[in-house]
Amino acid sequence: MIWNTQHINPQQDLYSYYQEREQKKLQPHGDNTIAIVGGGPKGLYGLNHFVNRVRIDRATKSYKVLWFNNDELFGCGPNYSIHQPDYLLINYCIGHLNAFHDKYSQKEDQQNFMEWLSKVKCIDTDVQPTDFASRALVGYYLQWVTKETMRQLPANVQLQLIAEPVVAIAEQNSKARIETNTGSWDVASILLATGHCYNNTPLINESEVPAVSYIRSPYPVSKYDDIASDSKVGITGMGLTFIDIALALTEGRGGTFDNGEYCPSGKEPLIYSFSRTSLPILCRGPQYQEKRPLHLLNASKFKLWMQQPTKIDFEKDVLPIIEQEIQLRYYAVQFNENGLEPLQSLINAIPLQHRFTLHKLLKPNLTSEEEILRYIEENIEEAQRGEQNSPLMAAASVWSEICPSIAELYSSVGFTGNSQQQLDQYYFGAFNRVSYGPPIANMEKILALARAGIIRFVPLKKPTIRWQEVGSVFVVCDENGKATSFNTLIDARIGRPSLHQHNAALYDTLLSQGLICPHQNEAYFPGTLSMDKRGKCNTLARVPIYCYGANTEGVFFDNDSLSRTKNDTSCYWVDDTIRTL
């Protein structure tokens, strides 16, 4: 079952609720004013932490919390906007969704996503942990959690929502001054939960290209409404975002899917998909079943690594064991054998050239559109079999199981600079491609669109893009001279922190003012600002300024998650803020 906003009773949006509720007349002293910059899920989690800590500590001081966001989408942010179409789905089953923290279970009316959905749904279908949901529906849940947090504000906490982008932060005596285009506020503590505020490096010289032809950021998908139906659209990137764009240009224009086939509306453009690797993302079924044991990368192994006095070389020390574990998991399913020694004996009997390897998982050789389509078809079949019956899906699931432990190593013991760079720039994306894919239903839609001739997969080695004024088209070609042209170019990559590329306006301003500096691991600069292992900015000592979420990548690992506990630096911000004030 895929749940969407049509399956629930009408819900009031958060900003309307905020504007209607009676604001407390409390006017705290300016020294006790704090700020959260970023209104998405991470900003919500920080707010919820603070409110509950004040309630638990029974503080007598009065606090004012200023919560800034670029727009009115507080609680859900743009990724889980309640205004986006329902065909945009989350890529994990709903049994894992809970925006509350267990430590506050006695202090608030906590409901995980399934419990909330069971109360607000307007159809008789039972809610199952293996179901999926639209991102807009998850957005309504996140806004409900925000409303619950606001409803239970202690008497000594005042909350003000400011729907304006923060453009600058400056030091002001013992405080920090937050500036928007219309005002400024002095605060004693800041949580930066700015989310996906980063731009990608331009694919082409923008000054040459009409703005309507080159779409640098993929969201919101409403920006594709002006693309003509007779256009040829090139999408660089073949991951989750590519799927969203493809569905916006087809299902979003009135096309329908029926029994594995696509029924066009006649408004669809022709879509060309290409990427640096030409490898589609793997779909997956619900990740909610009992896993087979991990033989090598178990808790004791990670405990030993955590006790190391020096940094770990990811490629030399960790990656070979990941490869062994993936191979063991693959053949555990194929031979229906969980014992380590019997498994190793069975594997050793297979000639080397015929063994399943990490290379075969991460880098299959796809040189034609036909091979790409066959790869997608086989992946759908394997995902339908599930991890318990599909060796491929079982092997792919290893990364998602060990990723929390890898993240702990990453941020505590640390990896050497060179190996962290390889993990950040290659292995992270390669493993995510096979382990964190879309629901099966979405990849079935992509296959149907390809069979209908609306999506064309273009395998290119080391593609380069140029703008050709004659004909007003983009031309993408590979090192062998193979070329394709199209009218519109959409960048489906998601930007990551990159201070040296000046790809986020607020952080670029802070860098130019000398208020932050780049994080460095040996000779490697990941792209984020320098912070300690709790997320506190190293260069602004007088005011507690903490980072939480995507802006910590490079210091912390794999933050693009709704998890309430993974890499939770907001709890340290709350501790420091209450202690300081």
Side-chain angles (χ1 to χ4, degrees):
M1 174 71 179
I2 297 177
W3 295 89
N4 62 47
T5 59
Q6 303 300 311
H7 298 141
I8 64 171
N9 293 309
Q11 304 290 303
Q12 183 183 32
D13 71 273
L14 173 68
Y15 204 67
S16 297
Y17 168 81
Y18 166 76
Q19 291 177 315
E20 288 178 9
R21 71 189 292 265
E22 182 179 355
Q23 294 297 297
K24 297 172 184 175
K25 304 305 180 183
L26 179 69
Q27 295 296 327
H29 191 277
D31 286 348
N32 297 331
T33 299
I34 65 175
I36 299 172
V37 181
K42 293 295 195 288
L44 159 60
Y45 298 165
L47 174 67
N48 184 264
H49 263 312
F50 182 80
V51 168
N52 278 296
R53 274 295 306 278
V54 170
R55 185 185 295 117
I56 290 171
D57 292 351
R58 298 180 180 178
T60 56
K61 285 187 176 183
S62 296
Y63 298 96
K64 185 172 185 177
V65 182
L66 306 177
W67 194 8
F68 294 87
N69 196 44
N70 287 353
D71 50 35
E72 298 176 358
L73 294 173
F74 286 88
C76 59
N79 278 14
Y80 300 95
S81 167
I82 59 175
H83 303 306
Q84 63 189 311
D86 273 322
Y87 53 76
L88 303 180
L89 308 180
I90 59 172
N91 64 323
Y92 39 86
C93 51
I94 63 175
H96 298 295
L97 282 174
N98 188 0
F100 289 100
H101 200 295
D102 288 344
K103 69 188 295 184
Y104 307 126
S105 59
Q106 302 302 314
K107 294 293 180 180
E108 55 189 352
D109 175 23
Q110 295 193 352
Q111 295 175 26
N112 61 34
F113 181 81
M114 288 181 59
E115 292 168 335
W116 170 83
L117 180 57
S118 296
K119 290 186 177 181
V120 300
K121 66 185 179 72
C122 58
I123 60 174
D124 292 333
T125 307
D126 291 335
V127 179
Q128 301 294 333
T130 51
D131 292 341
F132 286 87
S134 71
R135 295 208 291 268
L137 182 61
V138 175
Y140 274 112
Y141 168 66
L142 292 169
Q143 290 208 337
W144 174 80
V145 174
T146 311
K147 284 184 277 189
E148 284 298 298
T149 303
M150 293 167 61
R151 188 176 62 82
Q152 300 182 70
L153 282 178
N156 58 329
V157 175
Q158 180 184 13
L159 175 65
Q160 182 178 354
L161 272 56
I162 303 171
E164 299 180 36
V166 171
V167 297
I169 298 172
E171 290 186 293
Q172 187 73 16
N173 299 322
S174 61
K175 301 187 186 66
R177 174 161 292 177
I178 290 182
E179 300 177 6
T180 69
N181 290 321
T182 63
S184 63
W185 296 261
D186 290 344
V187 299
S189 176
I190 300 174
L191 179 66
L192 294 172
T194 50
H196 292 290
C197 62
Y198 305 97
N199 299 314
N200 280 315
T201 306
L203 296 165
I204 196 168
N205 187 343
E206 293 178 87
S207 62
E208 303 175 357
V209 185
V212 294
S213 300
Y214 177 27
I215 301 176
R216 281 191 60 182
S217 57
Y219 298 106
V221 296
S222 57
K223 64 174 62 179
Y224 309 129
D225 292 347
D226 294 332
I227 295 176
S229 58
D230 59 352
S231 294
K232 294 181 179 180
V233 178
I235 303 176
T236 178
M238 299 174 69
L240 294 170
T241 307
F242 153 70
I243 296 173
D244 289 349
I245 298 169
L247 294 181
L249 292 170
T250 54
E251 188 173 4
R253 295 189 170 200
T256 57
F257 294 91
D258 182 27
N259 196 28
E261 294 186 358
Y262 180 67
C263 305
S265 66
K267 301 176 183 178
E268 300 87 350
L270 184 59
I271 300 169
Y272 291 87
S273 174
F274 65 98
S275 71
R276 180 176 48 83
T277 65
S278 297
L279 297 176
I281 195 168
L282 292 186
C283 66
R284 58 179 181 163
Q287 311 287 294
Y288 209 79
Q289 60 276 7
E290 186 177 348
K291 307 288 186 180
R292 290 178 182 266
L294 292 168
H295 294 287
L296 307 178
L297 291 170
N298 48 32
S300 60
K301 181 61 179 176
F302 279 105
K303 184 177 180 180
L304 287 174
W305 274 328
M306 288 293 293
Q307 295 170 348
Q308 281 199 195
T310 58
K311 293 178 182 178
I312 298 168
D313 190 310
F314 175 79
E315 289 188 288
K316 293 181 179 178
D317 300 331
V318 181
L319 188 63
I321 304 180
I322 294 177
E323 175 160 20
Q324 287 178 274
E325 191 72 74
I326 283 174
Q327 191 177 70
L328 286 167
R329 179 67 66 83
Y330 182 93
Y331 287 111
V333 174
Q334 180 159 310
F335 296 126
N336 194 25
E337 174 60 67
N338 286 330
L340 179 57
E341 290 186 7
L343 263 177
Q344 289 179 327
S345 296
L346 290 166
I347 293 170
N348 291 338
I350 302 171
L352 284 173
Q353 66 271 27
H354 298 310
R355 290 181 196 173
F356 181 81
T357 63
L358 179 63
H359 183 84
K360 291 180 179 178
L361 175 65
L362 299 184
K363 295 190 70 174
N365 186 28
L366 306 179
T367 60
S368 68
E369 183 174 29
E370 290 75 20
E371 290 179 349
I372 292 175
L373 290 177
R374 187 159 57 249
Y375 181 76
I376 293 174
E377 288 175 344
E378 291 171 353
N379 164 228
I380 291 172
E381 292 172 359
E382 294 299 307
Q384 289 170 337
R385 293 173 63 193
E387 292 177 17
Q388 296 301 313
N389 300 304
S390 165
L392 177 66
M393 291 293 99
S397 70
V398 169
W399 177 252
S400 60
E401 291 176 51
I402 66 171
C403 202
S405 299
I406 295 291
E408 191 175 4
L409 281 181
Y410 188 103
S411 59
S412 54
V413 179
F415 295 118
T416 61
N418 286 336
S419 71
Q420 182 188 341
Q421 184 172 9
Q422 289 300 310
L423 174 57
D424 288 349
Q425 297 180 1
Y426 171 68
Y427 289 105
F428 178 66
F431 277 119
N432 283 357
R433 183 187 71 81
V434 300
S435 301
Y436 293 120
I440 295 171
N442 266 6
M443 195 53 84
E444 287 177 326
K445 289 180 177 180
I446 295 300
L447 181 59
L449 290 169
R451 286 172 171 166
I454 292 171
I455 291 179
R456 299 296 308 273
F457 291 103
V458 187
L460 299 170
K461 292 186 177 180
K462 300 180 180 178
T464 57
I465 305 169
R466 60 183 173 87
W467 171 254
Q468 182 174 291
E469 289 191 14
V470 178
S472 298
V473 294
F474 296 91
V475 179
V476 57
C477 58
D478 66 7
E479 58 185 4
N480 299 320
K482 183 179 179 181
T484 302
S485 63
F486 35 83
N487 313 102
T488 302
L489 174 62
I490 302 176
D491 192 343
R493 301 171 300 165
I494 297 297
R496 299 182 68 188
S498 184
L499 282 177
H500 62 282
Q501 292 180 346
H502 309 288
N503 70 339
L506 174 60
Y507 295 109
D508 194 26
T509 299
L510 297 178
L511 182 65
S512 66
Q513 293 174 333
L515 296 178
I516 61 174
C517 64
H519 173 70
Q520 181 177 0
N521 180 12
E522 298 171 355
Y524 173 50
F525 292 84
T528 195
L529 61 97
S530 179
M531 66 189 75
D532 65 18
K533 294 185 182 297
R534 292 190 169 200
K536 185 177 184 180
C537 178
N538 286 328
T539 51
L540 291 165
R542 286 181 287 180
V543 179
I545 298 184
Y546 282 73
C547 296
Y548 183 27
N551 56 8
T552 68
E553 289 183 355
V555 180
F556 298 86
F557 185 68
D558 190 27
N559 288 318
D560 196 5
S561 164
L562 277 179
S563 171
R564 194 50 213 267
T565 55
K566 187 173 186 179
N567 295 331
D568 179 11
T569 56
S570 67
C571 63
Y572 303 124
W573 168 71
V574 171
D575 290 342
D576 198 354
T577 297
I578 291 179
R579 181 173 58 249
T580 301
L581 298 184

